[in-house]
Amino acid sequence: MTLRGLAGRVLAAVFAAAAAFAAPAQDRVALVIGNGAYRVAPLANPVNDANDIAASLRSLGFQVTSRNNASQAQMRAAIRAFAVQLRRAQVGLFYFAGHGLQIGGNNYIVPIGADIQNEADAEDLSINMNYILRTMEESQTKVSIVVLDACRNNPYARGFRSASTGLAQMNAATGSLIAFATAPGSVAADGTGRNGIYTKHLLQSMRHPDSDVLKVFQRTRAGVVSETGGAQTPWESTSLVGDFHFRIGAQAAAASSAPAPGGDSRAEDRVFWESVKDSNNPTELQAYLDQFPNGLYAPLARNRLGGVTRLATARQGGAERPQQGMQEVVTRLNTILSGMAGRPGNQKQSAAGLVYGEVFAADADGLRYRTWKCAASMLKGCEPQYLEGGAVKFRDMKVELKTEERCSTGPGQLLFGKRCHNEQVLVVGGDGTFNEGGWDVVARGIDSASIAVTQELFDLLKRGAQQ
């Protein structure tokens, strides 16, 4: 072989290797959405979850479009743009964290700003997951992955006819995988740290050297089951027909008996850093350091993170730590209040036939509620009329936990005698907007379980008032 021929082969090999490395980044596209700033039952984790998933996917060679706290119009526009990208891609991934609902066996993800009063509103104002699945299926990508961390309590359940919880089962089309944070019909936990429980373990699993897609979700499931003591079991529906690895070049590395040591790691380090180096978002910089604590650019990342954090603290008047602590309180409050949505103390019926209901929720300012009344008549049936309730700011809040004696009344006393028991009653007051007297019952502790919940609510509300 001549020197010219050898040089030609070397150049061809170099260009082929470069093309093999570059192609996955062009052929892998993702749309990542995190919605947390809901007016009813806001969520603390989804934006963090979406930011961290987006950063991780970028480091793995995906072209990522990220949207946080998106309205319905913004979500639809992002999905349409995603559909265009999918036509030129081999792999498509859709991730959503936020509120999700099931109605009539169909799943819907909820945008920010959706004023949902009943099931018809949810169908009209939310995004039907079938629309997203069809969009991905029609693009004919070789691999389609959908990840839904959206199986939380339905905050609009009181206006719904059905009592379905969690999300409904969805069947994956050929070449696709659909991953749920928990099993169909079940509810996922939000988590008390930076990330939701499911996404936290998914991020950890995606960093594992063995990035086979099925093993990534198997490890995620094992981590969630272990942390929740079996209360939450992630679930997947899959019809994949080939292999897929999240790490670029992982298939070739697995087949090679002598892979280049550290080659993939350095490439991912560089790609991840390029995606966040100009960011002013401390969460993205921290995500890089979490994945590459000893990376090539770790010193630069730490310096930039320190500057960004000091600037943010200065702008907030040094209130960063209290805000973070307050957010954890708000997240836990909403988890408890959502779980108590069907408690008898929130359902009242008067002699005039009016049925009243109340839903409590917390935000960074304090506690608020929505009240509705249902006008019952022989002709029209029940017509719900929704009224926005008042709000009590934490700084103005008065919280009292007291014990009341409740005794049986009515004809039953004649047969069984008077029976009494003690209840723990949690009442909150402030500016007079909860009711005419400015006080309202938030929870009643009747048995050991509800007494424990009432006590925790009291402690959380007191913490909020002190911050």
Side-chain angles (χ1 to χ4, degrees):
M1 181 183 296
T2 66
L3 182 61
R4 179 178 297 178
L6 178 60
R9 290 198 176 191
V10 170
L11 285 174
V14 169
F15 285 126
F21 177 81
Q26 297 171 353
D27 293 347
R28 296 175 165 209
V29 297
L31 174 58
V32 177
I33 299 176
N35 285 348
Y38 295 100
R39 190 161 55 89
V40 176
L43 300 170
N45 301 125
V47 170
N48 292 338
D49 292 340
N51 286 338
D52 292 351
I53 287 289
S56 183
L57 290 173
R58 289 189 183 103
S59 77
L60 296 169
F62 282 80
Q63 291 181 324
V64 180
T65 300
S66 182
R67 295 288 182 270
N68 290 332
N69 291 326
S71 66
Q72 185 190 47
Q74 291 169 333
M75 289 177 68
R76 288 193 179 280
I79 294 166
R80 286 195 294 270
F82 184 47
V84 175
Q85 290 182 307
L86 286 169
R87 297 190 192 108
R88 301 190 294 268
Q90 298 296 316
V91 179
L93 186 147
F94 176 82
Y95 171 92
F96 177 81
H99 279 307
L101 316 167
Q102 68 159 302
I103 304 170
N106 293 318
N107 293 323
Y108 297 82
I109 53 179
V110 183
I112 298 301
D115 185 16
I116 296 175
Q117 312 283 0
N118 49 48
E119 292 180 357
D121 289 342
E123 292 176 330
D124 181 45
L125 301 175
S126 300
I127 304 291
N128 192 326
M129 276 305 303
N130 289 331
Y131 165 53
I132 296 171
L133 294 180
R134 284 198 304 271
T135 297
M136 300 182 74
E137 185 176 357
E138 290 173 2
S139 70
Q140 298 183 345
T141 55
K142 291 183 178 179
V143 177
S144 294
I145 301 171
V146 174
V147 182
L148 295 175
D149 193 354
C151 313
R152 297 164 171 86
N153 277 321
N154 179 359
Y156 316 103
R158 283 190 169 277
F160 284 25
R161 297 186 305 273
S162 63
S164 301
T165 58
L167 296 180
Q169 181 174 339
M170 293 190 297
N171 295 322
T174 302
S176 64
L177 179 146
I178 306 172
F180 298 84
T182 191
S186 300
V187 177
D190 291 328
T192 57
R194 169 180 172 77
N195 297 115
I197 293 176
Y198 176 74
T199 294
K200 178 181 75 173
H201 287 280
L202 177 59
L203 287 164
Q204 292 173 355
S205 186
M206 289 170 66
R207 298 178 190 129
H208 195 279
D210 186 352
S211 64
D212 175 81
V213 62
L214 296 180
K215 291 183 179 178
V216 165
F217 287 104
Q218 287 171 359
R219 288 192 299 266
T220 302
R221 179 164 47 252
V224 173
V225 169
S226 176
E227 181 170 342
T228 63
Q232 180 177 336
T233 303
W235 179 86
E236 297 90 43
S237 172
T238 178
S239 294
L240 292 175
V241 293
D243 294 332
F244 174 73
H245 293 73
F246 279 98
R247 289 183 178 272
I248 297 173
Q251 297 95 326
S256 173
S257 59
D264 286 344
S265 177
R266 289 193 297 271
E268 291 171 17
D269 186 343
R270 182 171 59 253
V271 171
F272 201 144
W273 174 246
E274 288 294 327
S275 72
V276 303
K277 68 178 183 179
D278 297 321
S279 174
N280 289 321
N281 186 339
T283 61
E284 294 183 357
L285 294 166
Q286 186 60 54
Y288 168 82
L289 289 171
D290 289 344
Q291 183 148 347
F292 300 100
N294 300 311
L296 296 173
Y297 309 97
L300 293 175
R302 291 189 184 93
N303 287 339
R304 182 161 181 78
L305 178 61
V308 169
T309 302
R310 286 192 295 272
L311 178 62
T313 302
R315 287 175 176 173
Q316 297 172 5
E320 187 180 60
R321 287 188 179 275
Q323 284 186 357
Q324 181 179 0
M326 190 66 251
Q327 188 60 64
E328 293 175 358
V329 170
V330 168
T331 300
R332 181 57 183 157
L333 278 171
N334 283 316
T335 299
I336 296 174
L337 293 170
S338 298
M340 297 171 63
R343 61 191 183 276
N346 269 5
Q347 299 172 349
K348 309 170 186 177
Q349 185 167 1
S350 70
L354 296 179
V355 178
Y356 295 91
E358 298 167 359
V359 172
F360 294 91
D363 56 26
D365 289 329
L367 197 68
R368 54 193 169 81
Y369 78 105
R370 165 176 282 182
T371 300
W372 67 86
K373 64 179 180 179
C374 182
S377 72
M378 295 290 290
L379 297 177
K380 296 182 179 180
C382 183
E383 294 183 343
Q385 301 174 11
Y386 294 88
L387 305 170
E388 286 297 328
V392 176
K393 295 184 180 298
F394 283 119
R395 65 174 180 267
D396 302 324
M397 187 174 291
K398 300 174 185 176
V399 187
E400 183 178 345
L401 184 62
K402 56 186 181 180
T403 301
E404 290 184 354
E405 184 180 61
R406 182 166 292 242
C407 299
S408 58
T409 59
Q413 287 190 31
L414 299 176
L415 295 175
F416 305 107
K418 185 177 180 180
R419 296 187 176 184
C420 299
H421 64 276
N422 290 330
E423 292 183 2
Q424 264 195 341
V425 180
L426 174 62
V427 291
V428 173
D431 56 7
T433 54
F434 263 42
N435 58 31
E436 293 179 1
W439 291 85
D440 202 15
V441 174
V442 177
R444 289 184 180 275
I446 300 171
D447 51 28
S448 59
S450 58
I451 287 173
V453 170
T454 303
Q455 180 66 52
E456 185 178 1
L457 276 173
F458 173 72
D459 294 338
L460 287 167
L461 291 172
K462 292 291 286 185
R463 280 179 59 192
Q466 292 168 0
Q467 292 207 25

